Amino acid sequence: MMVVGGVIGSGIFRKPGVMALQIGSPEILLGVWLLAGVIIVTLDPHATALGEKIGARIVTEGARDGHTGSVNAGRRLLAGEGRGGMITMPGDIPAIRACEIDAVLSAHLAAPSFTISPAHDDLGSNAVVCSPPESVPLRFGDNSYFPHLDAARLQGIEPTVIRQPGIAVDIDHPVDLALFLRLPQSAGTRTRKLLEELGVPALLAGRGIA
């Protein structure tokens, strides 16, 4: 789980050229221009190593507590530091593009505000922006999108909904892999390269999923 947080509009914290070389995805870094920093809530050594390469802040508190627990740990930290807002995204949306992050952040209104970009099936909440960080109670799971809309309204906040094709495709089931592979923007991603090396497209086709 990745929590990206900070004061929206304050810029990035390292030279983008250096970060692009380290993370291997220059386009995604364009979206960081609207963020003050990146927090990754994890205990995984590979995620930690990648985060350290791009200058992310690694947080272990809440990392054993599932999706909801890790997000809430991250935003408690941000709220305690007086940050103005945060965006959270999961780690299983490999077709995401920088322009999609930019679109979500650009649609976000002045605080108190809540913006959400749902999964393709309108069940998951694949990008959530809260200002302040703890302005709306969050609970992730198989059916979180509509409950999050209700939670925002209970706080007196009308949610902003913005749909993005890459953010919408989270990888939970084999059919999601087929959907990802059909997206034009999956071309050139590390995920697609790995799937092709493993012969996953042919396996999906053989099962009538492609």
Side-chain angles (χ1 to χ4, degrees):
M1 164 50 49
M2 178 170 65
V3 176
V4 183
V7 182
I8 294 174
S10 65
I12 64 173
F13 48 88
R14 294 189 66 181
K15 293 182 179 180
V18 174
M19 293 176 67
L21 288 173
Q22 292 173 334
I23 198 171
S25 181
E27 186 200 39
I28 288 295
L29 294 176
L30 296 176
V32 183
W33 282 109
L34 293 177
L35 300 175
V38 177
I39 289 177
I40 301 177
V41 182
T42 187
L43 292 171
D44 181 80
H46 299 291
T48 297
L50 176 59
E52 290 173 345
K53 283 184 178 180
I54 65 171
R57 186 174 173 184
I58 307 301
V59 174
T60 57
E61 180 185 354
R64 299 184 187 275
D65 300 329
H67 191 165
T68 299
S70 62
V71 170
N72 286 333
R75 66 196 196 125
R76 278 196 305 271
L77 178 62
L78 294 172
E81 295 176 349
R83 303 292 183 176
M86 70 99 196
I87 177 172
T88 177
M89 295 174 289
D92 64 344
I93 48 175
I96 188 173
R97 287 188 168 185
C99 59
E100 296 183 348
I101 301 173
D102 181 62
V104 171
L105 293 175
S106 296
H108 192 60
L109 303 176
S113 55
F114 179 82
T115 302
I116 188 167
S117 188
H120 63 91
D121 54 9
D122 277 355
L123 293 178
S125 306
N126 286 0
V128 172
V129 192
C130 294
S131 294
E134 294 187 300
S135 57
V136 174
L138 299 180
R139 181 196 61 78
F140 296 91
D142 293 336
N143 181 20
S144 65
Y145 171 53
F146 288 107
H148 278 148
L149 297 182
D150 292 339
R153 292 178 178 127
L154 284 174
Q155 300 300 314
I157 300 172
E158 183 58 31
T160 297
V161 177
I162 178 167
R163 298 177 183 275
Q164 297 295 319
I167 292 175
V169 179
D170 49 349
I171 309 299
D172 294 322
H173 308 286
V175 67
D176 297 327
L177 291 174
L179 181 58
F180 166 74
L181 290 168
R182 289 198 297 270
L183 282 177
Q185 63 203 65
S186 71
T189 63
R190 290 182 175 181
T191 301
R192 184 178 186 115
K193 180 180 179 182
L194 176 62
L195 292 174
E196 290 174 344
E197 289 176 351
L198 295 174
V200 171
L203 290 173
L204 292 173
R207 297 182 181 181
I209 298 177

